[in-house]
Amino acid sequence: MSIATSAPISIDRATCADLDAADPLASFRERFALPDGVVYLDGNSLGALPRATSAHVERVIAEEWGTGLIRSWNAAGWFEKPLVLGDRIAPLIGAGPGEVVLGDSTSASLFQVAMAAARLRPDRRVIVSERGNFPTDLYILESVQALAGAAEPLERRLVDDDGPGLDEVLGDDVAVVVLTHVNYRTGRMYDMAEVTRRVHEAGAIMVWDLCHSVGAVPVDLRAADADFAVGCTYKYLNGGPGSPSFMWVAERHHAEARPAITGWHGHATPFDFEVAYTPAAGVTRFRVGTPQLLSVAALEASLDLWAEVDLDLVREKSLRLTELFISLVDTRLAEWGVEVVTPRQSSQRGSQVALRVGDGYAVMQALIERGVIGDFRAPDLMRFGFAPLYVSHTDVWDAVDALADILATEAWREPRFARQGTVT
Ligand SMILES: Cc1ncc(COP(=O)(O)O)c(C=O)c1O
């Protein structure tokens, strides 16, 4: 059963239940410890907890830390974990073995690779990104601009949905282009291969941020011929709050690329304790210091689950869910002026949908109180993420149903829904 986005269709909850019954990924939902009565549409911000994670982390704490103590660096393979888990993320992003390594936060990892990228084009003076990029990317690039230019800071140019496009900002002075594949607010997805081709044509280095792509859409970095990538593991990969980011470096750059932060875990011979830094071979040199091994353990458990997942099925279901959501919003919420901001063309859409609604913050708080959890991004977007491993078609129906009721009854007008928390 397919759902066309262009023409609004008539669909009811029973049809959604039929779609769930035919869903080849349906059994994965049981593998997550989701609370009863919750429709979780925020897996694009913090992924749900896999049931196996707690026992695995407890075992690592009790056996590897408690009993193994310092011996676990060798006996439990702690030292190699960032590379071993990197190899397990690789198939999810079209990377090869030895090309991916875990890092600290995504922000730190972006600094690590963007500096390396800029140094590969020392004669060029411009870094390109996007005005609508996740702000940390732009903040980190300010530091790269300041530090990578030998005598004076590099210049910044930004593409913008309402301003200059890529072709207008690319030129033979551009060193690096840093873009997020799926936009954090709108869910719009770039054509990775096509953008990378244009960036290479201009002689620049392409860095992709995959935070909203990994585990949400199939990614093929090698086929796209990209240069560097970073991404986080706490969203669609379910690694848990604060789980480590990852970095990918194309093999052709392994010999030459120089990371920004040259820590001892990236040294060629860390246990020789030499006075001078000698980079390790390959992506290992992008490591910095001691990894957060308890977070790494949580990620390890979720990657066990991800090893069973067919990403083509994930994409098919993701499109079914987002198309269903958009159709239901069109048919049931139009009278309140709710606007779908996410592209309707499926090739340009990740696994999330953003709605523009007046007083969207309060509307989202009212929705969360009813157990439908999404989030809000200032100034006016309600975001809904559809993680195909645990979101069902009936969840989508129930979410729109609750939203329709909140808008019809104006339940969101209660003053407590307007009070802002630190995190929106
Ligand atoms: C596209 C993008 N990049 C980077 C980040 C920031 O990641 P971190 O907090 O791990 O540095 C986020 C966070 O949501 C994001 O959406």
Side-chain angles (χ1 to χ4, degrees), residues 251-266:
E251 201 181 359
R252 64 179 174 278
H253 297 309
H254 282 192
E256 213 189 326
R258 277 288 191 136
I261 308 169
T262 47
W264 73 298
H265 281 223

Side-chain angles (χ1 to χ4, degrees), residues 44-45 104-108 133-134 136-137 180 182 184 209 211-212 232 234-235 243 245 377 383:
N44 53 318
S45 201
D104 296 284
S105 68
T106 319
S107 308
N133 205 342
F134 189 80
T136 204
D137 292 31
T180 295
V182 174
Y184 80 106
D209 180 333
C211 278
H212 295 276
C232 64
Y234 49 75
K235 298 181 190 290
S243 62
S245 68
R377 285 295 171 263
R383 278 195 324 178

